[in-house]
Structure formats: C-alpha cells, structure tokens
Amino acid sequence: MEEKKVVAPKMETVENNVSEQVASRRSVLRKMVAIPVLGTAATVSVLQSYEDKCLADETDKGKSGENGGNGEKKESIQGESGATRTSFTPPPRPRLKEKIPMSKIGNVNISRLILGGNLIGGWAHARDLIYVSDLVKAYHTEQKVYETFYLAEQCGINTFLGHYSLFKMVEGYWKWTSGKMQFIADCGCAPEQLLDTVKHAIDIGSVACYIQGETTDRIVREGKLDLFPKAMQIIRDAGIPCGIGAHRIDSLKAVESTGTAPDFWMKTFHHHNYWSARAESEHDNIYCRKPDETRDWMEKRKEAWIAFKVLAAGALRPEDGFRYALEGGADFLCVGMYDFQMVQNANTFCNVWNSPLNRKRKWMTPNVDRKELLRQEREAAKEESEEDEEA
C-alpha cells in the first residue's frame, strides 16, 4: 500500500490588521489535528499561519450563506440526551464585535483588558479543589500558551501580566510567531530578594514592573517600608512604569505613608455577592476584603489603577465583575482567561465599556486611537524600509 504523505500547509504572513470577524475556534482546532508534529518551533509557526487561514475560511463561510443562505449560521442543537447521550454539538464560538480599547501608562500603550498570568502559570484559585492547579498546568502546554497569546492579540489585548518567570513563554512566542504581546512583570519574591528581582525583571525586557501583591503585604507586615522607594527608583531609572500591588488596602495606605507613589496601582477589587464569599471560614475564596474602602481610597488617587481578581477567581460572571470594577474606578482590568473564553470576554468588556457607566472616579489614563496608532506604525515602518534601501 502506498504511504500517504502529510504535507504541512503553506506558510502565510499574518497581517497586523486582522479581520475582527473571529470564527469558531473549536472548528479551527479540529482542522489543526491533521497537522503533523514538527517540533516546537516549526509547529508553532505552522499553527499560527494555518489557524489564521482557518479563521478566514470560517468567516467566508458565514458571509457566503453556506449555513443558511443569508450569511448567518443556523443554531444547532447543543445536545441530545436520554438514557445515553448519543451526540453533542459544542456551542458556536461568538464572533468578535470590536477590539479592546487601548490606553497609556507612561509611554506604554496598553489594552484596557490585560491578560493575567495565574492560569498560565498554574497558580489557580479554586477554593478547596486541590487538583485544579495541576489541571491548568497540564492544559497550558507551550503550544496552547502561544495559541492563547495569538487569540488575545486578535481581540486587541496587547499585554500579558504575570510572574517574571513566565517571560520565557513570551520570549518563545516572539521568537516562533509574528506576535508582539507585551509583558508586565510581577516581581513576586521574598522581601530580601526584591531589589535583585526587580533588576532581573527589567533586564529580560518587561515594558513595566510592579511589586506583587503578596510581596507588598509581607513587606508591610515586616516593617521594611524603605524597600518601596528603592525598588521604584530602580524601575524608573530604567525608563519604564513602576507599580505597587496589594491584596489588602491597608498595605497601599502604608506605601502612601512613605511619601512615594507608583505610576500605577495593582489592587484586587470585587464585591461579595457570591456564594463562597458567605462561607463561615475563609479558604481561598475572598481576594478583596474591603471593596468599598478600596473604591473610596482609589477615588482620591491620581495614578492609574489596574484592578485584578475582578471576577473573584471565577465566582462572578464577566458582565457583573467587569461593570463593578469599571464603575468602581479601575482604569484597566487584569483578567486570567482560557483561550475558549477570550472572544466572549472581549465582547462582554466592550459591551460594558460602551454602555453608560455609573462612575465617580475620573479616568486617569488617556484613550489611544488604534487607527491612528496603526497609521503611525506603518509610516515608521515605511521610513525604516526607505532608510535601509538607501544604506
């Protein structure tokens, strides 16, 4: 019998201005199963170009009316149940309505919705479920992380925030794809290691650094407040924005007492209207213990505020948690997301963003016009190309 040869799909260049019509990723992944295993570098490169093609194919199907004659896909039965389930059709992946709006901290352009690093790093908050951290680490293979970054960028999310040790993932993504995901380094460490950790986070190529929440809380408990101005000075000397994070509002008040302020604050923020928040004992189920006090204190701050744990580690629906955080004064939201949540969360964020917001705190960071930014980038690339030709 003649052996069939499997040929990798032709490489295609992924354009910066990708269509905002993002089709079913589940369908894309089914098509990607046929791709041979070529090793990490080749696989990621092929996956990126082939996935982009599949996304385009799925979009064209919707436009041509292949599934209903009017350009819209027909709703499919989600499952057929009985004594034994005989078939199941996953729900269709929603199409991206618009890209996440963008703003600035210092001279860095940052999407208003930031991809958080806990899930990718395997630091899952799962109340008393002890297997979840291992599960999310098993799910987030190197290939899956690159796919997640890639899909995030298509949604307009241009920044990944995580522990400084996760930079290797971002570096690999830059190397094997055409992606440009930015990295904000979480400098989580023991207090005595803070200054060296900050220097390392700067050296690896972070666009901003911040002192991680638990590290801040511990520094305050141990009374080593002089570390805050020292760390912030190192970061500012490197010419990038510096931040201070915390889980407890009292820790941020202690930082303020030193007479210094960062370029941005990282503070947990969510309400307590969910079941596990009302448990008699606390077990990894509450991340912002004083939301009202946090809102009132942040209202007086002139620095940018990146709110995190806005979904209480998955206990709140995005439409609820996003609105609460934006109305409470946050300028950016940092949210851990799986790839299959990305498009829906982006759509939800934009729906909330475009709706009337009952917000008292002023926006502390300016909006960035994406179209103008793209025009400037193209103009700069054109000038660079002309200079190369002259040389």
Side-chain angles (χ1 to χ4, degrees):
M1 181 180 295
E2 182 180 355
E3 182 180 355
K4 293 184 179 180
K5 295 183 179 180
V6 181
V7 181
K10 183 179 180 182
M11 299 291 291
E12 298 178 6
T13 301
V14 180
E15 298 179 351
N16 289 331
N17 186 19
V18 181
S19 169
E20 295 184 350
Q21 298 293 319
V22 178
S24 170
R25 190 177 181 82
R26 293 183 185 276
S27 176
V28 170
L29 291 176
R30 284 198 297 271
K31 294 181 181 182
M32 289 167 62
V33 171
I35 300 178
V37 177
L38 304 175
T40 302
T43 301
V44 171
S45 187
V46 170
L47 285 176
Q48 185 197 15
S49 60
Y50 190 52
E51 182 187 41
D52 194 53
K53 180 179 184 300
C54 291
L55 289 170
D57 289 346
E58 290 296 319
T59 301
D60 291 341
K61 287 181 183 179
K63 290 180 179 179
S64 65
E66 180 177 309
N67 294 284
N70 59 357
E72 297 181 359
K73 293 185 177 182
K74 293 181 178 179
E75 293 295 330
S76 60
I77 298 175
Q78 300 305 312
E80 297 176 2
S81 60
T84 302
R85 174 175 287 169
T86 57
S87 66
F88 179 76
T89 303
R93 178 67 54 83
R95 293 182 182 276
L96 184 69
K97 296 179 180 178
E98 61 180 291
K99 290 193 174 184
I100 297 295
M102 186 178 290
S103 185
K104 268 184 182 291
I105 297 180
N107 61 354
V108 182
N109 294 316
I110 299 175
S111 50
R112 295 277 188 184
L113 183 62
I114 298 168
L115 178 61
N118 271 11
L119 294 177
I120 289 175
W123 302 296
H125 292 283
R127 282 68 182 177
D128 58 348
L129 298 178
I130 61 176
Y131 65 87
V132 177
S133 289
D134 288 337
L135 175 62
V136 298
K137 282 189 286 188
Y139 181 79
H140 282 116
T141 61
E142 188 174 6
Q143 175 180 313
K144 177 57 68 178
V145 172
Y146 293 170
E147 291 173 13
T148 301
F149 286 166
Y150 177 67
L151 185 57
E153 288 202 83
Q154 309 317 301
C155 293
I157 300 171
N158 75 336
T159 304
F160 172 62
L161 185 152
H163 192 261
Y164 68 90
S165 63
L166 297 177
F167 178 74
K168 292 181 180 179
M169 287 289 188
V170 182
E171 190 175 40
Y173 177 68
W174 292 343
K175 182 177 182 180
W176 302 121
T177 78
S178 61
K180 300 178 181 179
M181 182 68 73
Q182 299 178 139
F183 183 60
I184 295 180
D186 151 0
C187 298
C189 60
E192 60 271 18
Q193 299 171 337
L194 178 61
L195 301 185
D196 287 337
T197 298
V198 165
K199 293 174 184 177
H200 175 67
I202 293 169
D203 290 342
I204 61 178
S206 307
V207 297
C209 296
Y210 82 100
I211 303 175
Q212 185 255 8
E214 291 179 353
T215 299
T216 295
D217 294 338
R218 182 174 169 184
I219 290 172
V220 171
R221 287 197 307 270
E222 296 180 6
K224 300 177 180 179
L225 300 183
D226 63 316
L227 285 173
F228 293 118
K230 290 179 180 178
M232 285 191 283
Q233 190 60 51
I234 292 173
I235 298 170
R236 284 185 169 137
D237 286 346
I240 61 177
C242 65
I244 301 290
H247 295 84
R248 298 176 183 272
I249 189 61
D250 293 337
S251 296
L252 297 189
K253 291 179 179 180
V255 174
E256 184 188 32
S257 72
T258 65
T260 60
D263 297 305
F264 63 94
W265 303 95
M266 281 282 298
K267 177 64 181 70
T268 52
F269 191 57
H270 63 76
H271 61 69
H272 293 173
N273 188 24
Y274 58 95
W275 181 83
S276 62
R278 297 187 290 274
E280 292 182 2
S281 60
E282 187 174 329
H283 191 107
D284 195 27
N285 58 312
I286 295 180
Y287 316 95
C288 181
R289 294 166 182 82
K290 300 176 181 179
D292 292 342
E293 190 173 334
T294 294
R295 180 194 61 234
D296 294 343
W297 189 83
M298 289 303 306
E299 189 174 336
K300 301 173 184 177
R301 308 276 76 76
K302 295 181 180 180
E303 301 79 29
W305 174 19
I306 302 176
F308 69 110
K309 292 291 188 293
V310 298
L311 302 182
L316 299 176
R317 294 186 179 278
E319 54 267 30
D320 182 8
F322 291 176
R323 179 172 294 278
Y324 184 83
L326 292 175
E327 291 189 339
D331 299 295
F332 301 84
L333 307 186
C334 178
V335 181
M337 292 175 276
Y338 293 99
D339 58 334
F340 54 83
Q341 297 172 315
M342 200 75 65
V343 176
Q344 184 61 61
N345 282 354
N347 286 342
T348 299
F349 182 94
C350 290
N351 287 341
V352 173
W353 175 265
N354 293 323
S355 68
L357 291 172
N358 182 20
R359 177 188 172 103
K360 293 182 179 180
R361 185 174 186 254
K362 294 181 179 179
W363 295 99
M364 297 301 164
T365 60
N367 289 323
V368 172
D369 187 331
R370 281 186 173 277
K371 292 182 179 179
E372 174 60 21
L373 182 63
L374 182 60
R375 187 195 67 77
Q376 293 174 5
E377 290 177 347
R378 287 175 172 172
E379 187 66 28
K382 181 180 179 181
E383 291 178 359
E384 184 178 352
S385 177
E386 292 175 349
E387 290 176 358
D388 291 341
E389 290 179 358
E390 292 177 357

